[in-house]
Amino acid sequence: MGAMMLVPLDVASAQEAPKPADPASSQDEIRQFCTNIADPARDQRYLLQKQELEQLRTDIDQRIATMDKRKAEYEDWLKRRDDFLKTADLGLVDIYKNMKPDAAAASLNDVKTTIAAAIIMKLSSRQSSLILAEMDAKKAAVITNIIASASDPNTSKSKDPS
C-alpha cells in the first residue's frame, strides 16, 4: 500500500509544479503591461510639465511687474530731474553769472535750496566753486548733495533731492 501512495503523490506534485514559462508569452505580457501604463505615465509627464510652465509664467509675470515698477520710478525720477533743471531759467542764471561770487553766495543763501542748486548747476564749474566757497557751509553741503543726486541715474523716487 505504501507504493501506491507514492505514485499519486508524485502525480499530484507534478501537476502543482510550475510550468516553464514560454518566452513568447512572457514578452507579450511585458508588452501588454507597458501598453497599459504608457498613457497614465504620459499624462503624468504632461501634468508635471504643465506645472513647471505655470511656475515659470508666474516667475516671469513677477519679474515683469518688478521691471514695470522700476521703469515707472525711473520715468518719475527723470521727470523730476527735468523739472528741477528747468527751474533755473536761463535769464536767472545769466544774472548770477554776472555777479561777484560773494554777492551771489549771499543772495543764494536766502533762495530756496533746490532753486539755488539748479542755478549753481547751470553755472560754470569755476563760478560754482567760488560761489559755494562763499556760502554758508551747511547750505553749500545740501546744495552739493542735491546736485550730486540730480546727476546720479540710480536715484529713485524715494529719495527727495531737497
Side-chain angles (χ1 to χ4, degrees), residues 17-64:
K19 296 180 183 177
D22 180 15
S25 69
S26 168
Q27 289 294 327
D28 290 340
E29 288 176 14
I30 292 171
R31 191 173 298 115
Q32 184 63 34
F33 175 77
C34 291
T35 303
N36 288 343
I37 66 164
D39 288 338
R42 183 176 42 243
D43 292 345
Q44 187 63 30
R45 279 194 309 272
Y46 289 154
L47 181 63
L48 290 173
Q49 289 173 346
K50 181 181 176 190
Q51 289 171 346
E52 286 179 28
L53 289 173
E54 288 172 353
Q55 181 60 43
L56 288 172
R57 174 181 228 133
T58 302
D59 292 346
I60 289 171
D61 289 344
Q62 289 173 348
R63 289 181 184 193
I64 288 172

Side-chain angles (χ1 to χ4, degrees), residues 42-148:
R42 183 176 42 243
D43 292 345
Q44 187 63 30
R45 279 194 309 272
Y46 289 154
L47 181 63
L48 290 173
Q49 289 173 346
K50 181 181 176 190
Q51 289 171 346
E52 286 179 28
L53 289 173
E54 288 172 353
Q55 181 60 43
L56 288 172
R57 174 181 228 133
T58 302
D59 292 346
I60 289 171
D61 289 344
Q62 289 173 348
R63 289 181 184 193
I64 288 172
T66 301
M67 298 269 300
D68 288 343
K69 180 181 173 189
R70 288 183 182 162
K71 179 183 174 189
E73 285 179 2
Y74 179 75
E75 288 173 349
D76 180 63
W77 171 84
L78 191 59
K79 182 186 177 310
R80 289 186 312 122
R81 182 178 182 272
D82 289 343
D83 292 346
F84 169 73
L85 292 174
K86 288 176 188 174
T87 304
D89 182 53
L90 291 177
L92 187 58
V93 172
D94 285 340
I95 292 170
Y96 283 94
K97 269 185 189 177
N98 297 322
M99 292 176 82
K100 291 185 179 183
D102 58 340
S107 176
L108 289 174
N109 269 329
D110 297 331
V111 173
K112 188 177 176 184
T113 309
T114 54
I115 294 172
I119 292 168
I120 290 173
M121 192 170 166
K122 289 202 174 186
L123 296 173
S124 70
S125 59
R126 182 174 179 271
Q127 268 186 312
S128 296
S129 64
L130 291 172
I131 292 171
L132 286 170
E134 294 289 330
M135 290 183 79
D136 173 64
K138 286 185 180 180
K139 183 143 184 174
V142 171
I143 289 173
T144 303
N145 284 331
I146 291 171
I147 292 171

